[in-house]
Amino acid sequence: MQRLQKLIAESGYCSRRKAEELIKQGKVTLNGKVVSELGTKASFGDDILVDGNLIEYQEKEYYLFYKPRSVVCTTKDDKGRKTVLDYFDDVDKRIYPVGRLDYDASGLLLLTNDGEFANLMMHPSNKIDKFYVVKVKGIVTGDEVKKLRNGIILDGKKIYPSRVKLKRLDKKNLTSIVEITIHDGINHEVKKLMEAINHEVIKLKREAFGFLTLGNLKSGEKRMLSPKEIKQLYNMAYNKR
Ligand code: URA
């Protein structure tokens, strides 16, 4: 027997946190009865429905995906835009993205149907480094790079990027390329950091997630993570705590 929210997350329906919300909203039934309090235990042998959808055990799958620009990171989009799941038509598991990449950003995104894994990777206490290459308007100065390194207050909290490097200045077109590694998991974090030093982001690409890189993948391509990589990701998250 396990907690209901854990079973829902394990089924790949959503994250455990989201499952807790759904339970509190009265959207979950256990053997025909609405459960709206956390703490109820059940097993996959029970009849569990979320919003009318049957919750069943699924084999876990883990993907590394090269998200193109102009693709949303949600599983559905009200505006009819292309979603990351449009690239996973051949996958029959209910997978979803681990965290977010903005619509106009590209790069490395993990997807899985393992809610526990997704939670662990996204949790800010695990401080997993995400490496971005960002193109901004204007010429970034050494002082501005120092400002970033010394920490910037975002959403009331001082944020220290793990690494900042000025990569290239284009004095003709007045743009700069900056490499930045962050580990906090704040929404639109890179854009907010660049805004704090008065530079608008033109292009943003996530090149790495922890030790994982895009490798030979082309935009729109994916590959499965190996069992060794999954184990390494777990180790990394636990060691960073
Ligand atoms: N920071 C951003 O501003 N956007 C992303 O998509 C990821 C990190």
Side-chain angles (χ1 to χ4, degrees):
M1 297 285 270
Q2 299 192 72
R3 285 176 193 269
L4 207 42
Q5 60 267 35
K6 187 152 191 265
L7 289 177
I8 296 169
E10 261 185 30
S11 79
Y13 187 85
C14 60
S15 69
R16 184 152 49 161
R17 247 181 277 166
K18 178 78 188 166
E20 287 175 357
E21 272 170 39
L22 292 168
I23 292 171
K24 286 190 210 152
Q25 289 164 6
K27 294 191 172 163
V28 177
T29 62
L30 173 61
N31 299 325
K33 282 193 192 129
V34 174
V35 177
S36 51
E37 275 174 33
L38 302 176
T40 306
K41 289 193 170 175
S43 74
F44 280 116
D46 287 307
D47 188 17
I48 305 165
L49 298 179
V50 180
D51 264 342
N53 298 301
L54 187 63
I55 295 301
E56 289 175 297
Y57 180 76
Q58 281 191 65
E59 284 299 322
K60 303 294 177 259
E61 289 186 1
Y62 309 81
Y63 293 91
L64 191 162
F65 175 53
Y66 185 161
K67 175 192 160 328
R69 297 181 85 183
S70 309
V71 173
V72 267
C73 237
T74 47
T75 47
K76 273 182 237 143
D77 185 53
D78 300 343
K79 297 178 194 152
R81 294 175 296 184
K82 208 164 189 175
T83 79
V84 286
L85 287 194
D86 290 336
Y87 293 83
F88 288 81
D89 283 346
D90 53 331
V91 172
D92 62 355
K93 304 289 187 301
R94 226 190 263 139
I95 56 164
Y96 51 86
V98 177
R100 290 278 150 88
L101 266 182
D102 292 338
Y103 179 70
D104 57 359
S106 66
L108 198 160
L109 183 72
L110 298 180
L111 292 99
T112 184
N113 58 347
D114 184 340
E116 290 302 312
F117 172 83
N119 260 348
L120 191 67
M121 294 303 123
M122 284 189 283
H123 202 280
S125 71
N126 296 333
K127 296 191 171 59
I128 294 177
D129 277 338
K130 290 121 199 155
F131 170 58
Y132 295 87
V133 178
V134 52
K135 183 176 182 181
V136 296
K137 278 192 186 164
I139 298 298
V140 175
T141 65
D143 277 351
E144 287 167 342
V145 170
K146 248 187 226 160
K147 239 188 195 172
L148 288 173
R149 288 185 183 142
N150 290 338
I152 301 273
I153 296 182
L154 290 187
D155 303 348
K157 198 179 144 220
K158 198 148 188 190
I159 297 301
Y160 296 92
S162 310
R163 178 177 167 270
V164 186
K165 190 168 181 213
L166 196 49
K167 199 66 189 156
R168 204 174 312 139
L169 300 176
D170 182 342
K171 293 196 172 152
K172 189 164 153 244
N173 295 308
L174 296 180
T175 59
S176 310
I177 308 271
V178 179
E179 291 181 347
I180 182 160
T181 305
I182 52 169
H183 52 258
D184 310 275
I186 292 173
N187 273 343
H188 313 299
E189 187 167 337
V190 175
K191 287 180 183 163
K192 286 177 182 167
L193 289 171
M194 293 302 155
E195 223 169 76
I197 56 161
N198 299 312
H199 291 279
E200 191 188 327
V201 170
I202 308 171
K203 250 186 181 175
L204 179 61
K205 183 178 176 193
R206 188 196 276 165
E207 296 262 0
F209 181 97
F211 60 88
L212 292 170
T213 63
L214 288 166
N216 293 329
L217 285 186
K218 295 192 183 72
S219 179
E221 288 183 346
K222 61 179 182 288
R223 69 168 177 89
M224 272 184 151
L225 293 182
S226 69
K228 192 174 161 204
E229 287 171 324
I230 296 160
K231 198 168 163 218
Q232 269 178 285
L233 285 168
Y234 271 106
N235 286 342
M236 190 175 69
Y238 285 125
N239 288 338
K240 292 250 175 162
R241 283 188 165 193

